[in-house]
Amino acid sequence: MTADRHTSRREFVRGLLAAAISTSVPLRLPAAEQPALEAVAADKGILFGSCLGAVRMADPHYLDILRRECSVLVPENEFKSYVIAAEPGRYNFAPGERIAGFAKSSGMKLRGHTLLWNRPEFMPQWLRDSFGALSARSGEAYLRKYIRHVCRHFGAQVHSWDVVNETIDPQTGQVRDTPFTRVLGFDVLRIAYEAAREYAPHAQLVYNDYMSWEAGQAETHRAGVLRLLERFRRNRIPVDALGIQSHLGNDGNIHAAQRREWTAFVDEAVGMGYRLLITEFDVSDRDLPADIDARDAEVAAVAREYLDLMLSYRELDQVLCWGMVDKYSWLQQFRPRADNKPQRPNPYDDAYEPKRLREAIAAAFASAPRR
Ligand code: G3I
């Protein structure tokens, strides 16, 4: 099917997808001949993108996939405080600027991740060692100054900030005990969001976490996040949206989805007026068989079911994968498969070829209701 000069891209996309969905055989066109994921998503009012980090930036094939498929990017590590504030008194923006520059030159939007990762292991060592000795007044002054510098440096290019990341301990459902909370208590979260609102007034302010739909410690994690969201509202803390990382198969077992409990969780969050994002989508195949076709098929099926459920919420209008090519995924190191075979968690394989997961994402966007 070709688009004549009068056929709009949107009509062309719809026509091609209708043909693809109507055939029993999965569309196996090379990705370059398929409608881009960002186009299929945009047709429903959804931004689609992925993360980009220093290692990935060095790979021209990876960048080609981003240019073709994505309309929003998020730095994988370069906006984190252990990079920006690696040394006391200095702000190292260079790594983040490279990614922001690529996004700008590629006409893509940019998410910010993250202003306060309230977990000691992801703080700069010097800050982890020194913050506890500060008074509450000095601690607040430090945090506000850090957020002011970072928000003002990247300015209006960042349309959405993960202001706070992963502050709920999934074991207890409580706000994690960290050097920040020991000095400032729960107020550290108010300070972070109020500073972000003041210094990035244009940006969507997000609470980002990895609560899962899978059985296990997820129930405690989900309950803790809901209590946190309620407390934000009760204390009029400016949080606009919940970032649901969506690392499927990683925090439990890919076969143990709690669909009813998960829907109740998401319903409660939107019921409090929060918008939604999928911020770090990938699918761990750690618990799946070694056979690649079988693994890819199951990963695609789980992804499609999850995305269909999530995209039924019109409050959800941003979907980002945590990487587009398997070999760069954090999952290769985090919890390897028992057979030590590389995992296949992303839409493209290591030959930069699209996988069934890519088709599942495209199909989920194609069948989603328009925002
Ligand atoms: O850049 C250094 C390199 O110079 C050094 O030789 C090497 C030795 O370990 O470390 C390199 O830094 C690593 C960095 O990734 C860049 O590759 C860090 O050790 C490593 O801890 C870091 O891991 C990142 C992790 O967050 C911690 O920041 C992963 O790439 C990144 O995918 C992961 O992403 C997180 C999200 O931010 C939050 N949600 C969970 C998600 C997965 O853990």
Side-chain angles (χ1 to χ4, degrees), residues 188-325:
V188 66
L189 306 181
R190 175 190 62 75
I191 293 162
Y193 282 100
E194 288 182 353
R197 182 65 92 219
E198 181 176 352
Y199 301 121
H202 58 282
Q204 175 189 55
L205 305 185
V206 180
Y207 174 68
N208 191 50
D209 209 331
Y210 56 86
M211 56 279 153
S212 162
W213 78 332
E214 291 153 18
Q217 66 188 26
E219 295 93 324
T220 305
H221 198 177
R222 293 194 297 258
V225 169
L226 285 178
R227 279 198 305 276
L228 179 70
L229 296 177
E230 287 163 354
R231 194 165 176 184
F232 286 151
R233 284 292 186 256
R234 207 166 48 248
N235 292 281
R236 300 185 185 288
I237 294 171
V239 183
D240 303 314
L242 175 62
I244 302 176
Q245 292 183 11
S246 305
H247 295 295
L248 304 190
N250 185 56
D251 296 307
N253 183 302
I254 198 168
H255 300 298
Q258 297 177 313
R259 293 161 186 78
R260 183 171 48 78
E261 294 85 345
W262 181 253
T263 301
F265 167 78
V266 182
D267 286 349
E268 272 209 62
V270 298
M272 288 185 248
Y274 291 98
R275 297 198 61 78
L276 302 174
L277 304 85
I278 288 177
T279 51
E280 306 180 13
F281 184 65
D282 52 26
V283 187
S284 171
D285 61 19
R286 184 175 60 240
D287 299 318
L288 298 182
D291 176 74
I292 283 179
D293 282 346
R295 253 199 272 170
D296 282 3
E298 190 141 4
V299 160
V302 169
R304 176 67 195 271
E305 180 188 4
Y306 180 78
L307 290 174
D308 282 351
L309 191 163
M310 292 305 293
L311 291 171
S312 69
Y313 291 89
R314 286 178 168 78
E315 295 83 356
L316 176 64
D317 58 6
Q318 298 182 69
V319 175
L320 289 89
C321 286
W322 205 243
M324 295 294 284
V325 175

